[in-house]
Amino acid sequence: MGNLCCMACVDQASIGVVERWGRFDKLAQPGFHFFNPLAGECLAGLLSTRISSLDVRIETKTKDNVFVQMLCSIQYRVIKENADDAFYELQNPKEQIQAFVFDVVRAHVPRMTLDELFEQKGDVAQTVLEELEKVMGAYGYNIEHILMVDIIPDASVRKAMNEINAAQRLQLANVYKGEAEKILLVKKAEAEAEAKYLGGVGVAKQRQAITDGLRENILNFSNKVDGTSAKEVMDLIMVTQYFDTIKDLGNSSKNTTVFIPHGPGHVRDIGSQIRNGMMEAGSAQLNVE
């Protein structure tokens, strides 16, 4: 009677579990294997050693009584050396992992406010990772990574948070707008003050130029025309300016004209009033000194 044998191939990134008479015997590494059925050897099953991913959605409540949904992604794999534990100890490892994640998250998150949860979601993931490693390591599984993919508060809470953020940004915008308007008003006032100052300087220079011109004209006229006094020259200049003013008023239709008694004789009166005022001012200054 010939020898009976059974052949099997274990794929790469997999590991086989070999039994003898229904009892665990050894692990079969990737490759081609012979099994003797007469000796009770058989390939009981295969386990993948690739990293698997499990997405878990957890609903829980924070310390400030806000219900949130957390999407957690767990990446795990079978430990090759302990593949027999993974094969025999757990019938459904995904359900076991999900149950432990629920337990850890619901014990940790209620001690945090919503803002703290968003800020410390990495700490929550680390806590879940440490607890799962302790438990699943005994069953032949290694937890590679845990990611808190998303935190989803209730729709009404999200709306309220958006409204608070919008109000804060609007308040900040109004502050900046008020500061800008304040700066604009200050700069406008400074510009008006500078314009008035420069206008006053211009008027002063204009009057100084007029005074210098009149003095020069009086001196030239007195030197060239014998027998004329400075008073007579001043009267002549004022009469000339008087007629120039009347001419300008008549040529422009946009000017507002105030009618007062006028004539060549009134110019002499105006000149006398100006001279009397200057003489009185000079006399008062001497008395003060």
Side-chain angles (χ1 to χ4, degrees), residues 15 61 79 82 91 114 143 154 167 184-185 192 198 200 219 266 281:
I15 193 165
K61 186 182 73 169
I79 303 174
N82 300 330
Q91 182 176 5
L114 182 61
I143 307 300
D154 184 74
L184 182 62
L185 291 175
E192 290 179 354
L198 294 177
L219 293 175
H266 290 90

Side-chain angles (χ1 to χ4, degrees), residues 81-136:
E81 295 77 9
N82 300 330
D84 55 326
D85 292 331
F87 186 79
Y88 290 106
E89 295 293 338
L90 292 180
Q91 182 176 5
N92 192 330
K94 290 187 176 181
E95 290 185 359
Q96 189 74 11
I97 292 173
Q98 182 172 328
F100 277 110
V101 172
F102 280 173
D103 182 66
V104 175
V105 170
R106 287 175 175 171
H108 190 72
V109 171
R111 292 178 290 178
M112 308 169 65
T113 64
L114 182 61
D115 292 337
E116 291 173 346
L117 179 60
F118 275 101
E119 294 172 359
Q120 304 175 21
K121 67 176 184 178
D123 296 340
V124 177
Q126 183 63 30
T127 302
V128 175
L129 176 62
E130 293 173 357
E131 293 296 328
L132 276 181
E133 282 181 339
K134 294 177 184 178
V135 175
M136 299 305 295

Side-chain angles (χ1 to χ4, degrees), residues 31-52:
F32 189 73
H33 297 271
F34 291 93
F35 303 102
N36 187 358
L38 295 179
E41 290 182 347
C42 68
L43 183 65
L46 296 172
L47 289 175
S48 174
T49 57
R50 295 186 178 95
I51 294 178
S52 300

